[in-house]
Coordinates of all heavy atoms in Angstrom, one line a residue:
T1 N -4.5 0.4 -9.8 CA -3.4 -0.5 -9.5 C -2.8 -0.2 -8.2 O -2.5 -1.0 -7.3 CB -2.3 -0.4 -10.6 OG1 -2.9 -0.8 -11.9 CG2 -1.1 -1.3 -10.3
I2 N -2.6 1.1 -7.9 CA -2.0 1.6 -6.6 C -2.9 1.2 -5.5 O -2.4 0.8 -4.4 CB -1.6 3.1 -6.7 CG1 -0.6 3.4 -7.7 CG2 -1.1 3.5 -5.3 CD1 0.8 2.6 -7.6
S3 N -4.2 1.4 -5.6 CA -5.1 1.1 -4.6 C -5.1 -0.4 -4.2 O -5.0 -0.8 -3.0 CB -6.6 1.5 -5.0 OG -6.7 2.9 -5.0
A4 N -5.0 -1.2 -5.2 CA -5.0 -2.7 -5.0 C -3.6 -3.0 -4.4 O -3.5 -3.9 -3.5 CB -5.2 -3.5 -6.3
L5 N -2.5 -2.4 -4.8 CA -1.2 -2.6 -4.2 C -1.3 -2.2 -2.7 O -0.7 -2.9 -1.9 CB -0.2 -1.8 -5.0 CG 1.3 -1.8 -4.4 CD1 1.8 -3.2 -4.5 CD2 2.2 -0.8 -5.2
Q6 N -1.9 -1.1 -2.4 CA -2.0 -0.6 -1.0 C -2.8 -1.7 -0.2 O -2.4 -2.0 0.9 CB -2.7 0.7 -0.9 CG -1.8 1.9 -1.5 CD -2.5 3.2 -1.6 OE1 -3.8 3.2 -1.9 NE2 -1.8 4.3 -1.5
R7 N -3.8 -2.2 -0.7 CA -4.6 -3.3 0.0 C -3.7 -4.5 0.2 O -3.6 -5.1 1.3 CB -5.8 -3.7 -0.8 CG -7.0 -2.8 -0.6 CD -8.3 -3.3 -1.2 NE -8.3 -3.4 -2.6 CZ -8.5 -2.3 -3.4 NH1 -8.8 -1.1 -2.9 NH2 -8.5 -2.5 -4.7
F8 N -2.9 -4.9 -0.8 CA -1.9 -6.0 -0.6 C -0.9 -5.7 0.5 O -0.7 -6.5 1.3 CB -1.2 -6.2 -2.0 CG 0.0 -7.1 -1.9 CD1 -0.1 -8.4 -1.5 CD2 1.2 -6.5 -2.2 CE1 1.1 -9.2 -1.5 CE2 2.4 -7.3 -2.2 CZ 2.3 -8.6 -1.8
L9 N -0.4 -4.5 0.4 CA 0.7 -4.1 1.4 C 0.1 -4.0 2.8 O 0.8 -4.3 3.8 CB 1.4 -2.8 1.0 CG 2.1 -2.9 -0.4 CD1 2.5 -1.5 -0.8 CD2 3.3 -3.8 -0.3
K10 N -1.1 -3.6 2.9 CA -1.8 -3.4 4.2 C -2.2 -4.7 4.8 O -2.0 -5.0 6.0 CB -3.0 -2.4 4.1 CG -3.6 -2.0 5.4 CD -4.7 -1.0 5.1 CE -4.5 0.1 6.2 NZ -5.3 1.3 5.9
N11 N -2.9 -5.5 4.0 CA -3.5 -6.7 4.5 C -2.6 -7.9 4.7 O -3.0 -8.9 5.2 CB -4.7 -7.1 3.6 CG -5.8 -6.1 3.6 OD1 -5.9 -5.3 4.5 ND2 -6.5 -6.1 2.5
N12 N -1.3 -7.8 4.2 CA -0.4 -8.9 4.3 C 0.8 -8.6 5.1 O 1.9 -9.2 5.0 CB 0.0 -9.3 2.9 CG -1.2 -10.0 2.2 OD1 -1.5 -11.1 2.4 ND2 -1.8 -9.2 1.3
G13 N 0.8 -7.5 5.9 CA 1.8 -7.3 6.9 C 3.1 -6.7 6.3 O 4.1 -6.8 6.9
W14 N 3.0 -5.9 5.2 CA 4.2 -5.3 4.7 C 4.4 -3.9 5.2 O 5.3 -3.2 4.7 CB 4.1 -5.3 3.1 CG 4.1 -6.7 2.6 CD1 3.0 -7.3 2.0 CD2 5.1 -7.7 2.7 NE1 3.3 -8.6 1.7 CE2 4.6 -8.9 2.2 CE3 6.3 -7.7 3.3 CZ2 5.3 -10.1 2.1 CZ3 7.1 -8.9 3.3 CH2 6.5 -10.1 2.7
G15 N 3.6 -3.4 6.2 CA 3.8 -2.2 6.8 C 3.1 -1.0 6.3 O 3.3 0.1 6.8
Y16 N 2.2 -1.2 5.4 CA 1.4 0.0 4.9 C 0.3 0.2 5.9 O -0.5 -0.7 6.2 CB 0.8 -0.2 3.5 CG 0.1 1.0 3.0 CD1 0.8 2.2 2.8 CD2 -1.3 1.0 2.9 CE1 0.1 3.3 2.3 CE2 -2.0 2.1 2.4 CZ -1.2 3.3 2.1 OH -1.9 4.4 1.7
T17 N 0.2 1.5 6.5 CA -0.8 1.8 7.4 C -1.7 3.0 7.0 O -2.6 3.4 7.7 CB -0.2 2.2 8.8 OG1 0.7 3.3 8.6 CG2 0.6 1.0 9.4
G18 N -1.5 3.5 5.8 CA -2.2 4.6 5.3 C -3.6 4.2 4.7 O -4.0 3.1 4.8
S19 N -4.3 5.2 4.2 CA -5.6 5.0 3.6 C -5.4 4.4 2.2 O -4.3 4.5 1.6 CB -6.4 6.3 3.5 OG -5.7 7.2 2.7
I20 N -6.4 3.7 1.7 CA -6.4 3.2 0.3 C -6.9 4.3 -0.6 O -8.1 4.5 -0.8 CB -7.3 1.9 0.2 CG1 -7.0 0.9 1.3 CG2 -7.3 1.3 -1.2 CD1 -5.6 0.3 1.3
D21 N -5.9 5.1 -1.0 CA -6.3 6.3 -1.8 C -5.7 6.3 -3.2 O -6.0 7.3 -4.0 CB -5.7 7.5 -1.1 CG -4.2 7.5 -0.9 OD1 -3.5 6.7 -1.4 OD2 -3.7 8.4 -0.1
G22 N -5.0 5.3 -3.6 CA -4.5 5.2 -5.0 C -3.4 6.1 -5.3 O -3.0 6.3 -6.5
I23 N -2.8 6.7 -4.3 CA -1.6 7.6 -4.4 C -0.4 6.9 -3.9 O -0.4 6.5 -2.7 CB -1.8 8.9 -3.7 CG1 -3.1 9.6 -4.3 CG2 -0.6 9.8 -3.8 CD1 -3.5 10.8 -3.5
A24 N 0.7 6.7 -4.7 CA 1.9 6.0 -4.3 C 2.8 7.0 -3.5 O 3.9 7.3 -4.0 CB 2.6 5.4 -5.5
G25 N 2.4 7.4 -2.3 CA 3.1 8.3 -1.5 C 4.2 7.6 -0.7 O 4.5 6.4 -1.0
P26 N 4.9 8.3 0.2 CA 6.0 7.7 1.0 C 5.6 6.4 1.7 O 6.4 5.5 1.8 CB 6.4 8.8 1.9 CG 5.8 10.1 1.4 CD 4.6 9.7 0.5
G27 N 4.4 6.4 2.3 CA 4.0 5.2 3.0 C 3.9 4.0 2.1 O 4.3 2.9 2.5
T28 N 3.3 4.2 1.0 CA 3.1 3.1 0.0 C 4.5 2.6 -0.5 O 4.8 1.4 -0.5 CB 2.3 3.6 -1.2 OG1 1.0 4.0 -0.8 CG2 2.1 2.4 -2.2
Q29 N 5.4 3.6 -0.8 CA 6.7 3.2 -1.3 C 7.5 2.5 -0.2 O 8.2 1.5 -0.5 CB 7.4 4.5 -1.8 CG 6.8 5.0 -3.1 CD 7.5 6.2 -3.7 OE1 8.7 6.3 -3.5 NE2 6.8 7.0 -4.4
S30 N 7.4 2.9 1.0 CA 8.2 2.3 2.1 C 7.7 0.8 2.3 O 8.6 -0.1 2.4 CB 8.0 3.1 3.4 OG 8.6 2.4 4.4
A31 N 6.4 0.6 2.3 CA 5.9 -0.7 2.4 C 6.3 -1.6 1.2 O 6.6 -2.8 1.3 CB 4.4 -0.7 2.6
F32 N 6.2 -1.0 0.0 CA 6.6 -1.7 -1.2 C 8.1 -2.2 -1.1 O 8.5 -3.3 -1.5 CB 6.3 -0.9 -2.4 CG 6.4 -1.6 -3.7 CD1 5.8 -2.8 -3.9 CD2 7.0 -1.0 -4.8 CE1 5.8 -3.5 -5.1 CE2 7.0 -1.7 -6.1 CZ 6.5 -2.9 -6.2

């Protein structure tokens, strides 16, 4: 779920720039 969320946040301009690693770290949370 987190990996797909990261793809969503990265590919749709929500500011995620990290790797698709399935870990909801600070970058994932900030973009979310």
